[in-house]
Amino acid sequence: MKNFALIGAAGYIAPKHMKAIKETGNQMVAAFDKFDSVGVMDSYFPKASFFSEFERFDRHLEKLKREGKGVDFVSVCSPNYLHDSHIRFGLRLGADVICEKPLVLNPWNMDGLELVEKETGSRVFNILQLRLHPAILALRQKVISEPANKIHDIDLTYISSRGNWYYTSWKGDESKSGGIATNIGIHFFDMLVWIFGKVKSNIVHLQTHDRASGYLELERARVRWFLSINQETLPESILAKGKTIYRSLALEGQEIEFSDGFVDLHTESYAGILMGKGFGLQEARSSVELVHDIRQQKGIGLIGDYHPFSKKPLADHPFL
């Protein structure tokens, strides 16, 4: 049984990590969040110590370490811009670190973390759960088995509706979240590069407060992509069903269904890490570099081969 500490216990994704720790037969001994709405801990680890001040959390973990009861892993579920700092904290504590996506916001942060890994001997692992999804694994195997010169045409669409709260939270601040492409799209970009190879060309058509779209040329694919948090960009058929999320990956016009099968992927990710099969810094690097490159670009408008959803009417920022 391994001992875990968790940073960001009040966040949306934290319960998936708590569930994964419990279902892999391990123990969460301490958690931190500056917000104290963490009653969800009762469902998993009611005896875990909780801290709303980082200094006291730090002191507690140091005390456990001196007593020979230190944590083996630190799970990082904090806001994106704090990942780098919290990963460093875990490594210097002598623990391995499991971090949510995006691992960091900037490629040079990866270089710094590699140095801290070497200094401490501890490891960083990223949750890249789409690499474990059965439909995605099957697609990758299909592509690998094809001739190397086979180039696919892909439309990727992901709309995950958010209310106005989004814009006043850290997620609406590009310097903290990385913007739309990073915050909701990085796991899809990781999946695409993992399956279809390195980026050869990266064009951004639109980049606003509520959507982003562009065109990627990969070694084995041409990809038109569209990401949005605006419910009004959902297809009429999805709106008619009262749904607020739409995922679509179309390969040569043929839909690849992967909406289901997400339930236990965090647990599978943890199981793999505990068996020495986790995704480390090098596996996470390509998607971090890609979304950083997207973030540096201004949309060129509807020129060239753009995603058809890019023509949907643009919305005003609710607070500008």
Side-chain angles (χ1 to χ4, degrees):
M1 181 181 290
K2 301 293 185 181
N3 286 338
F4 281 76
L6 187 144
I7 299 175
Y12 162 78
I13 204 67
K16 292 188 178 182
H17 286 258
M18 295 180 197
K19 181 172 181 279
I21 294 167
K22 188 177 182 68
E23 290 186 345
T24 51
N26 298 292
Q27 184 72 22
M28 188 178 82
V29 298
F32 161 77
D33 203 297
K34 66 178 184 176
F35 301 106
D36 59 9
S37 297
V38 291
V40 67
M41 287 174 59
D42 287 346
S43 299
Y44 300 101
F45 301 103
K47 294 183 179 180
S49 300
F50 173 72
F51 301 87
S52 58
E53 295 175 81
F54 192 82
E55 295 78 5
R56 292 184 174 182
F57 176 67
D58 179 13
R59 182 174 64 189
H60 179 71
L61 295 185
E62 284 285 354
K63 180 184 175 184
L64 291 179
K65 184 178 179 180
R66 285 195 302 271
E67 294 173 350
K69 300 182 247 180
V71 296
D72 303 290
F73 286 89
V74 173
S75 296
V76 176
C77 307
S78 52
N80 299 351
Y81 71 107
L82 296 176
H83 286 180
D84 182 44
S85 175
H86 289 155
I87 291 169
R88 290 167 183 269
F89 166 78
L91 293 175
R92 288 174 176 149
L93 192 66
D96 289 333
V97 178
I98 300 173
C99 186
E100 262 300 332
K101 309 165 298 293
L103 189 69
V104 289
L105 292 181
N106 304 302
W108 53 87
N109 298 141
M110 311 279 285
D111 301 331
L113 290 178
E114 283 184 348
L115 292 176
V116 182
E117 274 193 334
K118 290 176 182 177
E119 290 169 0
T120 61
S122 297
R123 292 286 312 281
V124 182
F125 300 99
N126 202 191
I127 297 291
L128 301 174
Q129 76 269 35
L130 277 183
R131 295 192 183 197
L132 304 178
H133 193 291
I136 302 305
L137 285 167
L139 175 59
R140 186 169 190 261
Q141 193 56 47
K142 173 183 180 296
V143 172
I144 289 173
S145 67
E146 293 172 338
N149 61 352
K150 170 70 175 176
I151 308 296
H152 291 279
D153 288 304
I154 296 170
D155 278 356
L156 170 69
T157 314
Y158 179 50
I159 303 168
S160 185
S161 306
R162 300 287 194 271
N164 285 346
W165 65 267
Y166 185 96
Y167 301 106
T168 52
S169 76
W170 63 267
K171 295 183 179 183
D173 183 340
E174 185 178 289
S175 68
K176 294 181 176 180
S177 70
I180 297 292
T182 302
N183 201 41
I184 72 168
I186 192 164
H187 48 308
F188 293 108
F189 290 123
D190 172 76
M191 171 195 73
L192 289 169
V193 174
W194 184 57
I195 295 174
F196 298 103
K198 295 178 181 178
V199 178
K200 297 171 65 177
S201 176
N202 177 15
I203 297 169
V204 176
H205 293 118
L206 293 176
Q207 190 147 221
T208 72
H209 62 285
D210 69 354
R211 71 195 69 183
S213 72
Y215 172 83
L216 286 174
E217 187 174 331
L218 306 177
E219 289 177 314
R220 305 184 72 170
R222 295 177 289 262
V223 184
R224 301 187 301 183
W225 58 269
F226 180 86
L227 306 167
S228 172
I229 59 168
N230 188 333
Q231 185 171 344
E232 294 179 5
T233 61
L234 287 166
E236 291 295 332
S237 59
I238 300 299
L239 286 169
K241 296 175 183 177
K243 294 184 177 181
T244 59
I245 295 177
Y246 176 67
R247 296 184 189 94
S248 173
L249 179 65
L251 186 75
E252 273 82 49
Q254 185 72 33
E255 193 77 21
I256 305 295
E257 179 54 51
F258 66 106
S259 293
D260 297 324
F262 281 86
V263 177
D264 297 316
L265 293 183
H266 273 73
T267 298
E268 284 192 39
S269 297
Y270 268 68
I273 290 167
L274 290 162
M275 292 168 55
K277 300 178 181 178
F279 302 116
L281 289 173
Q282 289 310 311
E283 285 86 355
R285 182 178 287 274
S286 58
S287 58
V288 170
E289 291 175 342
L290 175 52
V291 294
H292 177 267
D293 187 28
I294 289 171
R295 190 161 65 247
Q296 303 312 304
Q297 299 186 49
K298 291 184 178 179
I300 64 172
L302 304 188
I303 300 170
D305 195 6
Y306 56 85
H307 193 292
F309 278 41
S310 302
K311 294 188 290 185
K312 290 179 178 284
L314 296 176
D316 293 330
H317 195 299
F319 298 119
L320 293 180

